[in-house]
Amino acid sequence: MEQDVHALTPDRFLEEVHSFEFWFLAVEGYLAHTTYGHGDDVADAPLAPADRERLITALCNYCVGELAALEGASGLIALAPTHRTKIFLSTQVVDEGRHLEVFLHRLRELGVADPAREIERRASGGLLQFKEHLRHLVERKDWEGALFAQNVILESLEFAVFQDHARTADPVTSDLLRRIIKDERRHIGFGENELGRWLLAAPGERRRLEIVRRELDRLVLGAVEDTARLLGATPDERERVGRTYLESVERLGLCS
Ligand SMILES: [Fe+2]
Ligand SMILES: [Fe+2]
């Protein structure tokens, strides 16, 4: 569909950018001519054994995050208050399922015969706790709390970690991370927009998000610490990823 979305009324604009029509055009721009999420022309490079180990640990933890987002987004469809939000979340479910598939495929390319077992062995305790917490928010039918946990906190964490990793990863991993980040940006935009409009109408609710955030920050920073330790990152590197995460949540201005 060829049209200038910025010429639309605010309601029609949101309907347009959260639609499957928009999603098709967006993903076509960076997923055309790719195989399992990376460009057909990107050649794999051999990895030193220690680097391969570290990459496997990182990918296993990315799978936990993607699974949390996949299950979270699909559970949120039932809670979403409008057709538009249900439709956007169904595009997100497709994105998160694809991310999980891409990471699992990369694990197999690295010679991991049983990714599920490897994920169980290498998953960070903090990240697993976060996944549980998100599941509880969805089960409690807390639409705003769960959307905040998933589309702001978890997405901001993934954004910080993937961006950092893409700078130093091997060419194939770096290429697929850069493409996945584009989806995660869209997911953050949705959470920011929905929650931002909700807070404008009910400013007193900001306090609720602050409470969710305080609890989750602890788990997220624990997950960053765990994963960085498993990856053998220096204290400086761990601090940098934690700071990028905090800054990216701050920038959204949804809570202090
Ligand atoms: Fe994702
Ligand atoms: Fe996402």
Side-chain angles (χ1 to χ4, degrees):
M1 189 188 296
E2 287 295 324
Q3 65 171 319
D4 177 9
V5 289
H6 299 286
L8 300 170
T9 62
D11 259 11
R12 283 285 302 119
F13 171 80
L14 287 179
E15 206 154 300
E16 183 57 34
V17 297
H18 293 153
S19 68
F20 265 98
E21 290 298 324
F22 189 83
W23 178 84
F24 281 130
L25 286 178
V27 297
E28 170 71 15
Y30 52 87
L31 289 184
H33 314 296
T34 57
T35 306
Y36 285 102
H38 62 80
D40 290 339
D41 53 344
V42 182
D44 216 346
L47 287 171
D51 290 341
R52 176 183 168 276
E53 270 304 296
R54 276 197 288 272
L55 179 57
I56 290 173
T57 298
L59 293 168
C60 284
N61 280 283
Y62 298 169
C63 285
V64 176
E66 297 301 340
L67 191 59
L70 172 60
E71 292 178 358
S74 59
L76 275 173
I77 292 175
L79 310 185
T82 61
H83 290 153
R84 180 173 58 72
T85 46
K86 287 177 192 293
I87 290 168
F88 178 83
L89 283 166
S90 54
T91 68
Q92 186 174 348
V93 168
V94 177
D95 290 332
E96 308 298 9
R98 188 186 76 80
H99 300 167
L100 178 62
E101 177 180 77
V102 161
F103 288 137
L104 290 171
H105 186 263
R106 186 75 186 123
L107 281 169
R108 290 205 186 85
E109 278 180 346
L110 293 165
V112 175
D114 186 349
R117 214 188 60 190
E118 214 51 47
I119 291 167
E120 215 170 289
R121 217 161 64 82
R122 298 182 191 233
S124 129
L127 199 50
L128 291 171
Q129 278 182 47
F130 180 95
K131 184 169 175 286
E132 271 305 281
H133 200 96
L134 173 58
R135 195 169 61 82
H136 286 140
L137 288 168
V138 174
E139 280 172 3
R140 286 210 312 259
K141 302 193 190 314
D142 180 351
W143 160 249
E144 290 87 6
L147 185 65
F148 180 68
Q150 177 181 280
N151 281 48
V152 174
I153 303 279
L154 177 59
E155 297 286 353
S156 296
L157 169 66
E158 291 183 331
F159 185 78
V161 172
F162 294 172
Q163 210 175 29
D164 198 69
H165 189 185
R167 293 187 304 118
T168 54
D170 63 276
V172 166
T173 306
S174 177
D175 190 52
L176 63 87
L177 284 171
R178 288 183 205 284
R179 293 172 200 269
I180 286 174
I181 286 169
K182 293 182 199 292
D183 291 333
E184 310 300 19
R185 269 217 187 97
R186 200 167 49 240
H187 305 159
I188 294 178
F190 173 74
E192 181 190 5
N193 195 286
E194 284 303 309
L195 293 167
R197 279 179 309 110
W198 171 66
L199 286 175
L200 266 183
E205 297 282 358
R206 194 174 293 267
R207 175 102 187 94
R208 228 177 88 202
L209 292 191
E210 282 166 10
I211 293 169
V212 174
R213 178 175 175 186
R214 249 200 307 280
E215 176 66 15
L216 292 177
D217 269 355
R218 192 178 54 80
L219 298 178
V220 166
L221 293 172
V224 168
E225 193 60 32
D226 275 3
T227 318
R229 198 173 24 78
L230 292 167
L231 293 172
T234 63
D236 272 5
E237 288 165 336
R238 302 203 295 251
E239 211 251 300
R240 191 182 62 227
V241 175
R243 204 178 47 237
T244 309
Y245 155 73
L246 290 170
E247 283 169 2
S248 90
V249 176
E250 285 308 321
R251 234 189 339 263
L252 301 180
L254 294 169
C255 59
S256 51

